[in-house]
Amino acid sequence: MAFDPTELAPAALASLLEAGSFVLVEDDAGKLVRTTSGIVVDVPPAECRAVIEDYAGYKSWMPQLTRSDVVSRKGNAAEVAFTLSFRFSVFSKNLDYTLRYKPKGDVRVEWERLDGDFEETYGAWSWIPLERGKRPRVLVDDAGDFVAS
């Protein structure tokens, strides 16, 4: 089940964001199960949504992403092919995968794995107002079950 930041008490979310960003890591006996990260972004919800739904533009702000191509669109859903590239001094590794993105209301876009180098992955981008809209929004990236095949 994906994490829903709107279920957090505002004080708990504000506490997580005191440093400006947070990353929560859930593991099971050393195996990565889920990551959740959040950051304060000083933009209106519509602008946040526009960036998240510009799937082909992901490589411009995700450093290890070398490919993000929209493969198809059906209604408001999009299938997007990605390549993550990790380069180290003595070797490099690429992970290729395809996700289906589906907007859920005005403040959330969920994704699920279709194929590729992960056996399973799913998650969501969510953006919510802080202090009843008086503060910048929080962008939360929640992803679970990163199992590389």
Side-chain angles (χ1 to χ4, degrees), residues 94-106:
N94 290 336
L95 296 172
D96 295 302
Y97 57 99
T98 303
L99 303 178
R100 177 181 296 124
Y101 287 88
K102 289 184 181 179
K104 300 291 184 179
D106 291 333

Side-chain angles (χ1 to χ4, degrees), residues 1-3 24-36 111 118 120-123 141-148:
M1 174 190 291
F3 170 77
L24 306 173
V25 177
E26 179 184 341
D27 72 285
D28 182 12
K31 177 186 169 201
L32 179 63
V33 174
R34 173 185 297 315
T35 63
T36 302
W111 73 80
F118 293 107
E120 184 175 0
T121 187
Y122 59 87
D141 170 23
D142 177 51
D145 287 340
F146 287 105
V147 181

